[in-house]
Amino acid sequence: MLYHVRMDVHPPRDMPAAEFDALKAAEKVRAEELQRQGKWRHLWRIAGAYANVSIFDVADHDELHAILSTLPLFPFMHMQVTPLARHPSVIG
Amino acid sequence: MLYHVRMDVHPPRDMPAAEFDALKAAEKVRAEELQRQGKWRHLWRIAGAYANVSIFDVADHDELHAILSTLPLFPFMHMQVTPLARHPSVIG
Amino acid sequence: MLYHVRMDVHPPRDMPAAEFDALKAAEKVRAEELQRQGKWRHLWRIAGAYANVSIFDVADHDELHAILSTLPLFPFMHMQVTPLARHPSVIG
Amino acid sequence: MLYHVRMDVHPPRDMPAAEFDALKAAEKVRAEELQRQGKWRHLWRIAGAYANVSIFDVADHDELHAILSTLPLFPFMHMQVTPLARHPSVIG
Amino acid sequence: MLYHVRMDVHPPRDMPAAEFDALKAAEKVRAEELQRQGKWRHLWRIAGAYANVSIFDVADHDELHAILSTLPLFPFMHMQVTPLARHPSVIG
Amino acid sequence: MLYHVRMDVHPPRDMPAAEFDALKAAEKVRAEELQRQGKWRHLWRIAGAYANVSIFDVADHDELHAILSTLPLFPFMHMQVTPLARHPSVIG
Amino acid sequence: MLYHVRMDVHPPRDMPAAEFDALKAAEKVRAEELQRQGKWRHLWRIAGAYANVSIFDVADHDELHAILSTLPLFPFMHMQVTPLARHPSVIG
Amino acid sequence: MLYHVRMDVHPPRDMPAAEFDALKAAEKVRAEELQRQGKWRHLWRIAGAYANVSIFDVADHDELHAILSTLPLFPFMHMQVTPLARHPSVIG
Amino acid sequence: MLYHVRMDVHPPRDMPAAEFDALKAAEKVRAEELQRQGKWRHLWRIAGAYANVSIFDVADHDELHAILSTLPLFPFMHMQVTPLARHPSVIG
Amino acid sequence: MLYHVRMDVHPPRDMPAAEFDALKAAEKVRAEELQRQGKWRHLWRIAGAYANVSIFDVADHDELHAILSTLPLFPFMHMQVTPLARHPSVIG
């Protein structure tokens, strides 16, 4: 099932840069892994913002929450989840 | 270039049903045509709403506006356009 | 899977009362049917508003949208859908 | 009487992790106790958020406020309370 | 139990003045009746607006909704309900 | 003259608990004093929130501001003031 | 006492122009009268909007509401009232 | 002096198309005239919306309001005006 | 030219009281000076808030910005500027 | 292609003034450089705010994001990007 997720990152002001960089690197590794598994289907940067639009393809709400809530940057992100259904005008 | 567009449809209360159905049929034809051309890359229904999330892939802002503003349902839709850039964690 | 749905009804000003009453009666029949099927798990009136909070238990987003978008009052309702995951503190 | 409560948790950035974990453990114990008493009737995680939707069944506003305002995480939560009445289309 | 209710009236543009005046007169009769019964405890006009702030004292959510939803002007009002608990600093 | 005031308290995270408790105690003393003087006519807790709804009866805007701005918790409260006029449907 | 009032005019689409012009003319007459009485102390047009910012100087909330609610355009205006107190840095 | 103006057009549903087209043609003539006079310095379409962003260069607020409020489409536009000052990092 | 400015003050939590008091005193001196110059024409306290409504009379946007951005409390204020034009119903 | 960008600066409270001044100086150098390159076409200060309205002319979304996200003050700015298309009433 597909979920549309918008993530806005709010980096903590008081965390040492090296520590936050490590979190970002871990986030990147995890994002690539989930893309290879076919679960993180699309990932786009919103121009001009520290934010992205993502499409996830997972089994159910519990798997979605398990994935999102364990992302390394989760404590510093605001997420907005929208369930996507099939549109009747889609071809193929 | 990619654009994220959310479209919310507000059907006019005072239009005869047959007339609005004709507009919807024309919208469907146009949406399928644009998908076949590769310009309307993704089209998803937002569950529980008369609304969709779409990804367009067009040459520039002018082409995007030309496409969106000539959709048969354009006068009855609210659109929100977000430019999408490449995300550094995208694979492949 | 569980979905939280808030529905706000906006009755059309220009529809004859008898016609809207017929829609409401049909909505009631459908709501009772979906409750008996176990798909519309909870249904509460928001005090002081022509609105409800509902919990649906359906197979996926497509089934949810199919149910919601064919409710007799759908054209006159604003719906807000929230996917619900299991909470780690739930007992039993 | 039933109350719909949405709770959004905003963990304090400057509290030691062990201290906040202790609060979370105490919150879990209290939530389970209130569920066993039949006062916290439903508890769902909002997918992708550190937030929940809950249904409380208590005697009156004072009991609700007494319960909510003494939850261990209360100082770090934003709560939105909605009184729920019986819906005329509910079966059984 | 006490409930704080803000009511904003949106008179229908297309209703004949005499018909709306009759609804207002009926609303006034009902408001006075509920005040005499002690259920509508306070009623204040918000200066500069066709709106009021009210305090209701009723048995439960169901009685509140039954009263509010049968007010003659209910179809033309937006209501916001807030449950009120006892404040620890209240005297007497 | 009557004023409707909603007060939301935002306790400072970095103040020692004892210091804030002293402010709360001073606030309680002042609130009781103003109630005895008939100036703070009503005071209700909003269920589930560190907030209240109050009705003040004072001579004019200047007296209202003098009272509100010298409350011990004023620096930690957001206040919303609404002037209340007599409602034509009030009895007695 | 001084009140800050912002008024936004929403002309009715379905009223004959001559009828609305008559209301505007009556509004102008009344505004001038209230200015001569010293009750409508300031009146400014918000650039680019069919809206104004006004300062009223009246005895109390009831007089303010009586004045505002009987303005010829009142049914077509949204008003926002803010009570103004004396500022400690004002000279003279 | 420069003013930033965002204009959103809300075409009236109940006006005959020919009548609205005439207004749009008159608006275009006026917009071109004001551009030639150097008063309407920039005019851009917001992609995907019946809206524009404009920069006006006029003598003062009164001239701005006189220009905006006499545009043929003014009754069908929502406008948001922002005064622009010189930025210290501008070159030339 | 006239500008309507609403200023909301957000005192910094972590600044020593004496330091902020010095800023407030400097702000008062500057406000009085600008009033004597006729540039800060009106200054009112919003009842119940650490905020004011002001009317400025200055030559142009640049002078307004120069004045506002050099107020001693500017770094701790949120300002909302609205250009005011002459209203056709103003007398005298 | 043209992009409308509004930037609101939120200076960090806890950064030494000299450090933030260095960032501002670097931002100014970069802004001037981008203006000379013709990429930052317009830059205006919003009167009364630590904010600007800018027009960028760049090749695509990726170049826009690359420019904006490497501005020295980017971590302290909120940006809102709007794609601008050609308006049919533009002359010349």
Side-chain angles (χ1 to χ4, degrees):
Chain A
M1 280 193 317
L2 298 182
Y3 298 82
H4 179 281
V5 184
R6 174 173 172 151
M7 308 183 191
D8 287 83
V9 189
H10 303 285
R13 289 273 177 261
D14 51 355
M15 182 180 284
E19 192 177 338
F20 192 66
D21 287 349
L23 284 175
K24 283 199 294 183
E27 176 90 9
K28 187 174 179 7
V29 168
R30 181 68 176 135
E32 290 168 350
E33 181 180 42
L34 287 162
Q35 288 174 80
R36 279 189 299 265
Q37 294 173 2
K39 293 178 189 298
W40 198 327
R41 289 264 292 265
H42 299 284
L43 170 57
W44 297 290
R45 171 67 75 215
I46 295 176
Y50 195 172
N52 69 67
V53 168
S54 293
I55 307 292
F56 284 86
D57 186 358
V58 293
D60 55 22
H61 303 343
D62 286 340
E63 187 184 5
L64 179 74
H65 188 72
I67 286 174
L68 296 180
S69 63
T70 57
L71 289 175
L73 290 179
F74 180 75
F76 311 109
M77 292 200 282
H78 175 79
M79 294 189 180
Q80 192 176 357
V81 174
T82 307
L84 299 176
R86 180 175 170 82
H87 194 286
S89 299
V90 163
I91 61 174
Chain B
M1 279 193 318
L2 299 182
Y3 297 82
H4 178 281
V5 184
R6 176 175 171 150
M7 308 184 191
D8 287 83
V9 189
H10 303 285
R13 289 274 177 258
D14 52 354
M15 183 180 283
E19 192 176 338
F20 191 66
D21 286 349
L23 285 175
K24 283 199 294 184
E27 176 90 10
K28 187 172 177 13
V29 168
R30 182 69 176 132
E32 291 168 350
E33 183 180 41
L34 287 162
Q35 287 174 81
R36 279 189 299 266
Q37 294 173 3
K39 293 179 190 298
W40 198 326
R41 288 265 294 264
H42 298 285
L43 169 58
W44 297 288
R45 171 67 76 214
I46 295 177
Y50 196 172
N52 70 67
V53 167
S54 293
I55 306 293
F56 284 86
D57 185 357
V58 294
D60 55 22
H61 303 343
D62 286 340
E63 186 184 5
L64 179 74
H65 188 72
I67 287 175
L68 296 179
S69 63
T70 57
L71 289 176
L73 290 178
F74 180 75
F76 312 108
M77 291 199 283
H78 175 79
M79 293 189 182
Q80 193 177 356
V81 174
T82 308
L84 299 176
R86 180 174 171 82
H87 194 286
S89 298
V90 162
I91 61 173
Chain C
M1 280 194 316
L2 298 182
Y3 297 82
H4 179 282
V5 184
R6 175 174 172 152
M7 307 183 192
D8 287 83
V9 189
H10 303 285
R13 288 274 177 259
D14 52 354
M15 183 180 283
E19 192 176 338
F20 192 66
D21 287 349
L23 284 175
K24 284 199 294 186
E27 176 90 9
K28 187 174 180 6
V29 167
R30 182 68 176 133
E32 291 168 350
E33 182 180 40
L34 287 161
Q35 288 174 82
R36 279 189 298 266
Q37 294 173 3
K39 293 179 189 298
W40 197 327
R41 289 265 294 264
H42 299 284
L43 170 58
W44 297 289
R45 172 67 76 215
I46 295 177
Y50 195 173
N52 70 66
V53 167
S54 293
I55 306 293
F56 284 86
D57 186 356
V58 293
D60 54 22
H61 304 344
D62 287 340
E63 187 184 5
L64 179 74
H65 188 72
I67 286 175
L68 296 180
S69 63
T70 57
L71 289 175
L73 290 179
F74 180 76
F76 312 109
M77 292 199 283
H78 175 79
M79 294 189 181
Q80 194 176 356
V81 174
T82 307
L84 299 176
R86 181 175 171 82
H87 194 286
S89 298
V90 162
I91 61 173
Chain D
M1 279 193 318
L2 299 182
Y3 297 82
H4 179 281
V5 184
R6 176 175 170 149
M7 308 182 191
D8 287 84
V9 189
H10 302 285
R13 288 274 177 261
D14 51 354
M15 183 181 284
E19 191 176 340
F20 191 66
D21 287 348
L23 284 175
K24 283 199 294 185
E27 176 90 11
K28 187 173 177 16
V29 167
R30 181 69 175 131
E32 291 168 349
E33 181 180 43
L34 287 162
Q35 287 174 81
R36 278 190 300 266
Q37 294 173 3
K39 293 179 189 297
W40 198 328
R41 288 264 294 264
H42 299 285
L43 169 57
W44 297 290
R45 171 66 76 215
I46 295 177
Y50 194 172
N52 70 67
V53 168
S54 293
I55 307 292
F56 283 86
D57 186 357
V58 294
D60 55 21
H61 303 344
D62 286 341
E63 187 184 4
L64 179 74
H65 187 72
I67 287 174
L68 297 180
S69 63
T70 56
L71 289 175
L73 290 179
F74 180 75
F76 311 108
M77 291 199 282
H78 175 79
M79 293 189 182
Q80 193 176 357
V81 174
T82 308
L84 298 176
R86 180 176 171 82
H87 193 285
S89 298
V90 163
I91 61 174
Chain E
M1 280 193 316
L2 298 182
Y3 297 82
H4 179 281
V5 184
R6 174 174 173 152
M7 307 184 192
D8 287 82
V9 189
H10 303 285
R13 288 274 178 261
D14 52 355
M15 183 180 284
E19 192 176 338
F20 192 65
D21 286 348
L23 284 176
K24 284 200 294 185
E27 176 90 10
K28 186 173 177 12
V29 167
R30 182 68 176 132
E32 290 167 352
E33 183 180 39
L34 287 161
Q35 287 174 81
R36 279 190 298 266
Q37 294 173 3
K39 293 178 189 299
W40 199 326
R41 289 265 293 264
H42 299 284
L43 170 57
W44 298 288
R45 171 67 77 215
I46 295 177
Y50 195 172
N52 70 66
V53 168
S54 293
I55 306 293
F56 284 85
D57 186 358
V58 293
D60 55 23
H61 303 344
D62 287 340
E63 187 184 5
L64 179 74
H65 188 71
I67 286 175
L68 296 180
S69 64
T70 57
L71 289 175
L73 290 178
F74 180 75
F76 311 108
M77 291 200 283
H78 175 79
M79 294 189 180
Q80 194 177 357
V81 174
T82 307
L84 298 176
R86 180 177 172 81
H87 193 286
S89 298
V90 162
I91 61 173
Chain F
M1 279 193 319
L2 299 182
Y3 297 81
H4 178 282
V5 184
R6 176 176 170 149
M7 306 182 192
D8 287 84
V9 188
H10 303 285
R13 288 274 176 262
D14 51 355
M15 183 180 283
E19 191 177 339
F20 191 65
D21 287 348
L23 284 176
K24 283 200 294 184
E27 176 89 11
K28 187 173 177 13
V29 167
R30 181 68 176 133
E32 290 168 350
E33 181 180 42
L34 287 162
Q35 288 175 80
R36 279 190 299 266
Q37 294 173 3
K39 293 179 189 297
W40 198 327
R41 287 265 292 265
H42 299 284
L43 169 57
W44 297 290
R45 172 66 77 215
I46 295 177
Y50 195 172
N52 70 67
V53 168
S54 294
I55 306 292
F56 283 86
D57 186 359
V58 294
D60 55 22
H61 303 343
D62 286 341
E63 187 185 4
L64 180 74
H65 188 71
I67 287 174
L68 296 179
S69 64
T70 56
L71 289 175
L73 290 178
F74 180 75
F76 311 108
M77 291 199 283
H78 175 79
M79 294 189 180
Q80 193 176 356
V81 174
T82 307
L84 299 176
R86 180 174 171 81
H87 194 286
S89 298
V90 162
I91 62 174
Chain G
M1 279 193 317
L2 298 182
Y3 298 81
H4 179 280
V5 184
R6 176 175 172 150
M7 307 183 192
D8 288 82
V9 189
H10 303 285
R13 288 275 177 260
D14 52 354
M15 183 180 284
E19 192 176 338
F20 191 66
D21 287 347
L23 284 175
K24 283 200 294 185
E27 176 90 10
K28 187 173 178 11
V29 168
R30 182 67 176 134
E32 291 168 351
E33 183 180 40
L34 287 162
Q35 287 173 81
R36 280 189 298 266
Q37 294 173 3
K39 293 181 189 297
W40 198 327
R41 289 264 294 263
H42 299 285
L43 170 58
W44 298 290
R45 171 67 77 214
I46 295 177
Y50 195 172
N52 70 66
V53 167
S54 293
I55 306 292
F56 284 87
D57 186 357
V58 294
D60 55 24
H61 303 344
D62 286 339
E63 187 184 6
L64 179 74
H65 188 72
I67 286 175
L68 296 179
S69 63
T70 57
L71 289 176
L73 290 178
F74 180 75
F76 311 108
M77 291 199 283
H78 175 79
M79 294 189 181
Q80 195 176 355
V81 174
T82 307
L84 299 176
R86 180 174 171 82
H87 194 286
S89 299
V90 162
I91 61 173
Chain H
M1 278 192 319
L2 299 182
Y3 297 81
H4 179 282
V5 184
R6 176 176 171 150
M7 308 183 191
D8 287 82
V9 189
H10 302 286
R13 288 274 177 259
D14 51 354
M15 183 180 284
E19 192 177 338
F20 191 66
D21 286 348
L23 284 175
K24 283 200 293 185
E27 176 90 10
K28 187 173 176 17
V29 168
R30 181 68 176 134
E32 291 167 350
E33 182 180 42
L34 287 161
Q35 287 174 80
R36 279 190 299 266
Q37 294 172 3
K39 294 180 188 297
W40 197 327
R41 289 265 293 265
H42 299 284
L43 170 58
W44 298 289
R45 172 66 77 215
I46 295 177
Y50 195 172
N52 70 66
V53 168
S54 293
I55 307 292
F56 284 86
D57 185 358
V58 293
D60 55 23
H61 303 343
D62 287 340
E63 186 184 5
L64 179 74
H65 188 72
I67 286 174
L68 296 180
S69 63
T70 57
L71 289 175
L73 290 179
F74 180 75
F76 311 108
M77 291 199 283
H78 175 79
M79 293 189 181
Q80 193 177 356
V81 174
T82 308
L84 299 176
R86 181 175 171 81
H87 193 286
S89 298
V90 162
I91 61 173
Chain I
M1 279 194 317
L2 298 182
Y3 298 81
H4 178 281
V5 184
R6 175 176 172 149
M7 308 182 191
D8 287 82
V9 189
H10 302 286
R13 289 274 176 262
D14 51 354
M15 183 180 283
E19 191 176 340
F20 191 66
D21 286 348
L23 284 175
K24 283 200 293 185
E27 176 89 10
K28 187 174 177 11
V29 167
R30 181 68 176 133
E32 290 168 351
E33 181 180 42
L34 287 162
Q35 288 174 80
R36 279 190 299 265
Q37 294 172 4
K39 293 180 189 296
W40 198 328
R41 288 264 293 264
H42 298 285
L43 170 56
W44 298 291
R45 171 66 76 214
I46 295 176
Y50 194 172
N52 70 66
V53 167
S54 293
I55 307 292
F56 284 86
D57 186 359
V58 293
D60 56 23
H61 304 343
D62 286 340
E63 186 184 4
L64 179 74
H65 188 72
I67 287 174
L68 296 180
S69 63
T70 56
L71 289 175
L73 290 178
F74 180 76
F76 311 108
M77 291 199 283
H78 175 79
M79 295 190 180
Q80 194 176 357
V81 174
T82 308
L84 299 176
R86 180 175 170 82
H87 194 286
S89 298
V90 162
I91 60 174
Chain J
M1 280 193 317
L2 298 182
Y3 297 82
H4 178 281
V5 184
R6 174 174 172 151
M7 307 183 192
D8 287 82
V9 189
H10 303 285
R13 289 274 177 261
D14 51 355
M15 183 180 284
E19 191 177 339
F20 192 66
D21 286 348
L23 284 176
K24 284 200 293 185
E27 176 90 10
K28 186 173 181 5
V29 168
R30 182 68 176 133
E32 290 167 351
E33 181 180 42
L34 287 162
Q35 287 174 81
R36 278 190 299 268
Q37 294 173 3
K39 294 179 189 297
W40 199 327
R41 289 262 294 263
H42 299 284
L43 170 57
W44 298 290
R45 171 66 75 215
I46 296 176
Y50 194 172
N52 70 68
V53 168
S54 292
I55 307 291
F56 284 86
D57 186 359
V58 293
D60 55 22
H61 303 343
D62 286 341
E63 187 184 5
L64 179 73
H65 188 72
I67 287 175
L68 296 180
S69 63
T70 56
L71 289 175
L73 290 178
F74 180 75
F76 311 108
M77 292 199 282
H78 175 79
M79 295 190 180
Q80 193 176 358
V81 174
T82 307
L84 298 176
R86 180 175 171 81
H87 194 286
S89 298
V90 162
I91 62 174

